[in-house]
Amino acid sequence: MAKSGLASRLYRGEAGLDIIGRRKVWFGVALGLILLSVLSFGLRGFSLGIEFAGGNSFQIPASVGTLEQTELKVEDALAAAGDGAHVVSTQKVGGTGGDFYEVRTTQLDTEQANAVKVEIAEEFGIDAATISGNQVSEAWGSQVTSRALLGLVIFVAVVMLYLILRFEWRMAVAAVSSLIVNLVLTAGIYSFVGFEVTPSTVIGFLTILGFALYDVVVVFDKVQENTRGITANNNQTYGEAANLAINQSLMRSLNTSVVALLPVGGLLFIGAGLLGAGTLKDLGLVLFVGMAVAFLTSILLATPLLVLLKNYEPRIQAHNKRLMARRGAIARGEVTPKGTAPRGGEPDAEPVDPESAALAGAAPKVGARPAGKRPAGGRPAGGGGNRPGGGKRR
């Protein structure tokens, strides 16, 4: 029979991937990525939208030309205004009155904004009244940030309480640590690549927390099922049972992530990329990056961290030591595993486990007479012995 493919073995939970055994590798990779993210925060920072950094926006009719032509002419108009003003971002937006280009710039005062507006109108040869402008204060972005942080703290507190009641405190710590790493790595990608951070980005960050939590709970539920009564089991350590749970739930987590990423990818690549719906880009981007990172952290980080915490629990430590000692005795031939028939009578027979010997002694030997009382006189009834008929000779 041909061997099953990896996909089939993953679906049946028989892939045998050693995730827990390589946890030092995953911890090392995660720590390295966290350090790179923190380094990027300090050196590059974030590309903040005008909602956070403050700035101006101009809405120009899309009939004036292409997006690139519009950005170049606005840059020329800003150069005439001076003070180092420049374009922050440009996107095409659809509206009830028709499509228009929204050009976001650095902070301008009222006089500069009016002068730039007139200059843009002259560059395109249109009426200045067809160009609308808005000014956004950075105070509004600070308010959004503070409320987002408050929402994050409340979310983490509620999640901790739920996981402690649903599972235990070690699972709660491992899950929340995975969520925080997910946020840090996603923010690190934003900082390193230079994606613009907008209010939609903040909303997306809070959204991916729920998805990451769902993925972790699915895996932990299987871990709890496999490790229930683990100390009474002489076959698996806690880490081995948790690794089996990862293999059994891996395909489910993968399917969930793919199904979630497909519509988000359509929102990002088709809606924002092909159709030019720029307002969808910020939300779609953070969701796509965050969901992909959440799948990896829930598998490669949350459960290995849980095993690390559980191995410090005294009863789990005692169970693991007892199991390792038993396996060492079996490897040295000092103990025969259960279910293995002893080779009695042979000069090189292996020593027998007392429990196995007791079970073997209780079983009747092949061909033995069934246990029971013999008839009186020591011979079977009938008086004939082994001679047929039992009569006299003639």
Side-chain angles (χ1 to χ4, degrees), residues 141-162:
S142 301
Q143 185 179 10
V144 171
T145 303
S146 61
R147 294 194 175 184
L149 291 175
L150 178 61
L152 176 62
V153 171
I154 294 175
F155 177 85
V156 170
V158 172
V159 166
M160 284 286 291
L161 180 61
Y162 167 75

Side-chain angles (χ1 to χ4, degrees), residues 51-75:
E51 294 89 354
F52 295 99
N56 293 67
S57 66
F58 298 93
Q59 289 78 39
I60 306 169
S63 58
V64 298
T66 64
L67 186 66
E68 292 77 10
Q69 293 172 344
T70 303
E71 185 173 348
L72 288 175
K73 291 187 177 182
V74 173
E75 282 281 11

Side-chain angles (χ1 to χ4, degrees), residues 102-303:
E102 182 178 30
V103 183
R104 297 180 175 183
T105 69
T106 52
Q107 189 78 48
L108 302 171
D109 57 31
T110 305
E111 292 183 3
Q112 288 176 323
N114 291 331
V116 169
K117 186 176 179 180
V118 172
E119 186 69 24
I120 292 174
E122 291 179 358
E123 289 278 350
F124 289 112
I126 59 177
D127 187 5
T130 60
I131 301 175
S132 59
N134 296 308
Q135 187 173 11
V136 180
S137 172
E138 59 180 341
W140 186 83
S142 301
Q143 185 179 10
V144 171
T145 303
S146 61
R147 294 194 175 184
L149 291 175
L150 178 61
L152 176 62
V153 171
I154 294 175
F155 177 85
V156 170
V158 172
V159 166
M160 284 286 291
L161 180 61
Y162 167 75
L163 292 176
I164 291 174
L165 296 177
R166 174 66 177 83
F167 299 109
E168 60 167 309
W169 70 267
R170 293 176 183 83
M171 287 189 173
V173 171
V176 171
S177 300
S178 173
L179 295 182
I180 293 174
V181 171
N182 185 20
L183 287 180
V184 172
L185 295 185
T186 305
I189 293 173
Y190 259 73
S191 174
F192 183 78
V193 179
F195 294 147
E196 187 180 18
V197 179
T198 65
S200 297
T201 306
V202 176
I203 295 172
F205 268 97
L206 297 178
T207 303
I208 62 176
L209 287 176
F211 178 84
L213 176 64
Y214 169 78
D215 220 11
V216 171
V217 168
V218 167
V219 179
F220 279 6
D221 187 67
K222 194 64 180 177
V223 171
Q224 186 184 52
E225 179 183 337
N226 285 6
T227 58
R228 187 176 290 114
I230 188 70
T231 55
N233 184 354
N234 288 328
N235 298 323
Q236 288 181 316
T237 64
Y238 189 94
E240 291 167 349
N243 191 76
L244 177 61
I246 292 178
N247 281 271
Q248 291 171 333
S249 57
L250 181 59
M251 201 62 187
R252 179 178 176 181
S253 297
L254 182 61
N255 288 337
T256 302
S257 300
V258 170
V259 169
L261 286 173
L262 285 176
V264 174
L267 183 75
L268 177 61
F269 299 110
I270 298 176
L274 298 180
L275 302 181
T279 52
L280 301 176
K281 180 181 68 176
D282 301 333
L283 181 61
L285 190 59
V286 68
L287 288 178
F288 190 85
V289 173
M291 286 181 176
V293 175
F295 167 72
L296 296 176
T297 54
S298 65
I299 297 297
L300 302 179
L301 192 61
T303 308

